[in-house]
Amino acid sequence: MFRLETTIICTFSVLFVAVKADFRARNCSQVAEACAGRGFSFTNIPLQEIPGPHLRVCPQGNTCCTQEMEDAFGQQSKLDFDHLLEETTETLRTTFVSRHERFDEFFLELLENTERSLHEMFQKTYGKPYLQNAEVFVNLFAELKRYYTGGNVNLEEMLNDFWSQLLERMFMLLNSQYVITEDYLECIIKYADQLKPFGDVPKKLKVQVTRAFIAARTFVQGLYVGREVAKRVSKVNGTPACLRVLTKMVYCPFCQGMPAVKPCKNYCLNVMKGCLANQADLNPEWNQYIDAMLLVAQRLEGPFNIESVMGPIDVKISEAIMILQDNSAEVSFRVFQGCGQPKPAGSTRSARGVSNVYSSRFRPYSPEERPTTAAGTSLDRLVIDIKEQLKLFKNFWSNLPEAICVEYKVTAGNVSEDECWNGHTKSRYFPEVVKDGLTSQVNNPEVDVDITRPDTIIRQQIMALRVVTNKLKNAYNGNDITFQDSNDEGSGSGSGSGCTEACTTEIARFATEFPVVKADRSGPVDDSASLCAPSAALLTMLTLSAQAFCQQWR
């Protein structure tokens, strides 16, 4: 009898505990509070669990969610994903924007200061003869600026033209007692290489200026491409499959009555590796781009230092003028031998040259007098800062899942592995984390990724990085190529959407030809620069047209 009573008592105790536990599991009051905290304004959140056959994403057993709630969770998942991607890439984007603007501002201000320095000192030293011929120097700096801001300028030819014009003006000043015609000036230029009227200054300066300007222009273009790639990739939308699994990962715990339970880390990583598979495919080209930027930065710190080239350019040009002045008699004699004796100017003109006007030796600025550039910084400090920032962004795109899941605290953190949401319930997550990239997602247990259809926008950015990396490598060696040339030489393989390599290259050409824009200024200087930056609507139309064309030829 005692044994029977004990059995009955134990049985009722177990039933009481089970009923109490079941009641606790079916209580949805915490869900209502959590939804209100997230900004949801549901009108009919169940107070207790209800049957869930209406659910399409979350488990269909007993649930705290109505169909309205699950639909709202799905819409919020898209906003959450966009916000996470935007927030995670914000530092990258703002860094490239600020460094591009600082470098651009520094360089343009350096050119302006150098031109002003030359003008002031040449006016003081040479007076009226300089002012009468100042447009030669004005044109020099205008062409240098036009090259830097993306203009179609051949630096070597432009510098050769500058020295030819300077020789013509100087010869006329030094031989003002003669009538010098246009035909006679053309004859003089033919003998310039033999005469070397300015000594070795033009040759040395041409090497220094071309290498420094190629490196500086390519570097600032590289910064611009980096900022554009980061901006565009951060706007890539999640696929329907991605948004579905994001809803399951973040909001299905609400439907299970566990709104405070966060996803397991490895579960979150698999979800994000699936959702960000295309971004991870950007990583190899991104790393090569960063490496190429760092190489050019080394050149800017060393032999291609634009500040050390442009700072004393007024001194070097004046040195060349003095060489011509010192050898003016011999130069004139050899020109007369080759081109003939020019006619005397007559009584209305000076019977002698004006070489005395150039008797004053040029006095360069002393270091304390030289103007500061770009908000008081120097090229070395600026480049060091940019290099440090660039190094921080190696492997940025492959590290995105880790950054989102861990750094932005999407996951449960350091709690027990049995106390996190595994996609079905609060328990340990057993699947292994898949590798990075699109092709690796064929084994992703969480996200259904179509590995045969890479994202078109991401493919365009891969092409943009490939193009500018090729240009940076050439700049490192002192060579200059156009964006169009580099598209032809190093375009690489296509997008996987049916386009051939040539088709992808044509799309990338419109996507990557960005003008170099002045920082806080009116816009591109080059007249044709507007052709390089089509509107978003035009870019979309061109992309779709190219894809449609390729579809016809499959």
Side-chain angles (χ1 to χ4, degrees):
M1 183 67 180
F2 177 79
R3 182 177 299 174
L4 177 61
E5 290 176 350
T6 303
T7 302
I8 292 173
I9 292 172
C10 290
T11 301
F12 273 102
S13 298
V14 170
L15 288 174
F16 176 77
V17 171
V19 169
K20 186 177 181 181
D22 184 58
F23 175 79
R24 207 182 291 128
R26 289 186 288 110
N27 189 343
C28 297
S29 61
Q30 292 183 350
V31 176
E33 295 176 8
C35 288
R38 291 286 188 101
F40 294 104
S41 56
F42 299 127
T43 56
N44 58 343
I45 298 177
L47 296 177
Q48 294 182 337
E49 286 184 334
I50 60 175
H54 54 277
L55 300 181
R56 289 169 293 180
V57 178
C58 297
Q60 292 186 330
N62 290 344
T63 181
C64 290
C65 287
T66 63
Q67 184 174 343
E68 174 203 7
M69 293 171 65
E70 190 184 56
D71 290 343
F73 290 154
Q75 295 171 8
Q76 186 61 38
S77 293
K78 181 184 186 309
L79 298 177
D80 290 346
F81 181 73
D82 293 345
H83 176 72
L84 273 173
L85 195 54
E86 182 107 357
E87 190 174 7
T88 312
T89 59
E90 181 179 8
T91 301
L92 173 69
R93 289 181 286 108
T94 56
T95 298
F96 270 87
V97 167
S98 63
R99 275 28 178 213
H100 171 263
E101 290 179 351
R102 286 184 62 193
F103 189 90
D104 191 46
E105 178 186 7
F106 173 88
F107 194 95
L108 291 170
E109 191 171 333
L110 174 66
L111 284 181
E112 292 169 2
N113 287 343
T114 303
E115 182 176 12
R116 183 169 58 251
S117 169
L118 183 145
H119 176 76
E120 291 174 355
M121 292 307 300
F122 274 41
Q123 182 179 6
K124 179 179 180 181
T125 304
Y126 301 132
K128 186 176 180 180
Y130 162 72
L131 293 176
Q132 291 174 338
N133 297 278
E135 72 270 13
V136 176
F137 302 94
V138 172
N139 291 338
L140 169 66
F141 283 95
E143 287 297 285
L144 289 174
K145 186 178 295 184
R146 192 163 75 89
Y147 171 83
Y148 169 74
T149 53
N152 185 22
V153 178
N154 185 307
L155 279 177
E156 291 194 12
E157 290 181 2
M158 183 272 292
L159 290 171
N160 288 338
D161 289 343
F162 165 74
W163 290 111
S164 296
Q165 292 176 36
L166 186 59
L167 175 59
E168 292 174 359
R169 301 298 180 96
M170 288 293 300
F171 189 86
M172 293 174 67
L173 284 171
L174 294 170
N175 295 277
S176 58
Q177 68 271 34
Y178 297 107
V179 176
I180 308 297
T181 64
E182 290 293 327
D183 291 340
Y184 199 88
L185 290 175
E186 290 182 9
C187 180
I188 294 173
I189 300 305
K190 292 179 182 179
Y191 287 92
D193 289 340
Q194 301 175 22
L195 295 173
K196 290 188 176 181
F198 301 110
D200 291 331
V201 174
K203 181 179 179 180
K204 293 179 179 178
L205 197 59
K206 180 166 65 175
V207 172
Q208 294 171 344
V209 169
T210 53
R211 293 191 312 182
F213 267 78
I214 289 168
R217 182 172 88 158
T218 308
F219 192 71
V220 78
Q221 287 174 339
L223 290 171
Y224 187 88
V225 170
R227 66 182 272 185
E228 290 300 298
V229 168
K231 181 176 71 175
R232 295 177 186 188
V233 174
S234 67
K235 298 293 185 182
V236 172
N237 294 321
T239 63
C242 168
L243 299 178
R244 179 183 176 90
V245 77
L246 283 171
T247 303
K248 180 181 177 182
M249 181 179 76
V250 178
Y251 291 105
C252 285
F254 286 60
C255 298
Q256 296 296 98
M258 300 180 291
V261 178
K262 288 189 174 183
C264 302
K265 177 184 175 181
N266 287 352
Y267 173 42
C268 178
L269 288 175
N270 274 339
V271 168
M272 288 302 169
K273 282 178 181 281
C275 290
L276 300 172
N278 282 283
Q279 283 86 342
D281 278 350
L282 188 73
N283 203 64
E285 293 294 342
W286 177 262
N287 283 347
Q288 290 189 39
Y289 154 75
I290 294 291
D291 289 339
M293 286 287 291
L294 291 172
L295 285 175
V296 176
Q298 290 178 11
R299 292 296 204 201
L300 289 173
E301 290 178 303
F304 298 178
N305 188 309
I306 191 70
E307 194 171 25
S308 64
V309 171
M310 294 305 295
I313 196 171
D314 44 13
V315 179
K316 294 176 181 178
I317 293 175
S318 182
E319 178 187 343
I321 291 173
M322 294 304 165
I323 291 174
L324 175 57
Q325 178 190 345
D326 292 343
N327 299 287
S328 60
E330 181 182 355
V331 170
S332 297
F333 175 75
R334 294 179 63 182
V335 168
F336 295 159
Q337 280 187 322
C339 300
Q341 188 79 18
K343 295 179 181 180
S347 59
T348 58
R349 298 188 61 179
S350 172
R352 61 181 180 84
V354 291
S355 58
N356 289 337
V357 176
Y358 286 90
S359 60
S360 299
R361 290 288 176 178
F362 184 78
R363 183 184 68 84
Y365 279 118
S366 61
E368 61 272 11
E369 290 177 312
R370 282 206 174 273
T372 57
T373 57
T377 187
S378 69
L379 182 65
D380 288 340
R381 288 197 297 270
L382 185 57
V383 171
I384 289 172
D385 170 68
I386 295 175
K387 282 172 59 180
E388 291 175 351
Q389 296 299 320
L390 288 172
K391 291 174 183 178
L392 295 176
F393 296 121
K394 288 286 291 285
N395 296 310
F396 179 85
W397 302 105
S398 62
N399 288 336
L400 267 182
E402 183 84 17
I404 290 175
C405 291
V406 178
E407 294 178 24
Y408 283 84
K409 299 180 181 178
V410 172
T411 59
N414 296 324
V415 302
S416 168
E417 293 183 358
D418 296 322
E419 297 295 317
C420 55
W421 174 253
N422 65 7
H424 304 282
T425 186
K426 183 171 72 171
S427 184
R428 185 185 299 264
Y429 182 76
F430 290 100
E432 294 183 358
V433 178
V434 298
K435 294 181 179 180
D436 299 317
L438 195 61
T439 57
S440 299
Q441 304 315 306
V442 68
N443 298 316
N444 193 314
E446 305 304 334
V447 190
D448 184 15
V449 182
D450 186 354
I451 65 172
T452 66
R453 297 183 64 83
D455 185 272
T456 302
I457 295 177
I458 301 289
R459 298 298 125 176
Q460 290 174 354
Q461 306 319 305
I462 290 175
M463 292 300 301
L465 292 172
R466 193 169 295 164
V467 167
V468 77
T469 299
N470 188 34
K471 189 173 177 66
L472 287 162
K473 290 178 179 178
N474 277 276
Y476 174 78
N477 294 318
N479 301 322
D480 195 15
I481 59 174
T482 64
F483 272 113
Q484 182 173 354
D485 291 338
S486 61
N487 263 316
D488 296 335
E489 294 175 9
S491 58
S493 57
S495 66
S497 60
C499 269
T500 62
E501 177 174 337
C503 181
T504 307
T505 303
E506 285 303 311
I507 295 173
R509 182 165 298 168
F510 290 100
T512 60
E513 293 182 352
F514 309 117
V516 178
V517 183
K518 293 181 181 180
D520 299 323
R521 290 169 169 83
S522 59
V525 174
D526 183 25
D527 293 337
S528 64
S530 59
L531 299 176
C532 296
S535 67
L538 177 59
L539 181 58
T540 301
M541 182 183 72
L542 291 167
T543 302
L544 293 175
S545 300
Q547 290 176 334
F549 175 79
C550 292
Q551 294 268 353
Q552 296 176 4
W553 293 98
R554 284 183 173 179

